[in-house]
């Protein structure tokens, strides 16, 4: 199992979240702030099976709005190993 932590811009929040949910992924959204200009951002936490990591990342890429500038970065993603999780 893996956990994807995706830090995205606020204006990508709805399309990315909807894309993930409609593709069968569960998402937790957290409002966050950071970066050079302290722009608003959203942190998404997505738990996925190992074999679904690339699928989730592709949904995130496909759901993002086009960048304002040609080489602008739209998101930062971290893929972490999850040794154990429990739902209560």
């Amino acid at each position: 199992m893996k956990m994807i932590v995706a830090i995205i811009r606020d204006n990508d929040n709805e399309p990315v979240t909807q894309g993930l949910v409609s593709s069968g992924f569960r998402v937790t959204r957290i409002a966050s702030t950071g970066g050079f200009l302290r722009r608003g951002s959203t942190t998404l936490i997505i738990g996925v099976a190992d074999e679904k990591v690339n699928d989730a990342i592709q949904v995130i890429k496909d759901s993002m709005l086009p960048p304002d500038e040609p080489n602008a970065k739209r998101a930062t993603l971290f893929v972490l190993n999850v040794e154990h999780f429990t739902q209560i």
Side-chain angles (χ1 to χ4, degrees), residues 11 19 39 70 87:
N11 57 350
R39 293 181 182 163
Q87 292 181 316

Side-chain angles (χ1 to χ4, degrees), residues 47-58:
V48 298
D50 290 356
E51 64 273 6
K52 294 289 187 177
V53 170
N54 290 333
D55 294 339
I57 292 172
Q58 192 60 51

Side-chain angles (χ1 to χ4, degrees), residues 15-82:
V16 171
T17 301
Q18 290 300 322
L20 288 165
V21 170
S22 66
S23 296
F25 296 101
R26 292 183 173 187
V27 181
T28 299
R29 293 190 300 196
I30 302 169
S32 55
T33 304
F36 177 67
L37 298 174
R38 300 284 185 232
R39 293 181 182 163
S41 59
T42 301
T43 300
L44 304 177
I45 301 173
I46 310 131
V48 298
D50 290 356
E51 64 273 6
K52 294 289 187 177
V53 170
N54 290 333
D55 294 339
I57 292 172
Q58 192 60 51
V59 170
I60 293 169
K61 286 179 182 179
D62 292 344
S63 300
M64 296 200 137
L65 301 172
D68 299 332
E69 301 169 16
N71 294 323
K73 304 294 185 223
R74 301 297 296 168
T76 301
L77 282 74
F78 300 91
V79 179
L80 309 168
N81 290 319
V82 174

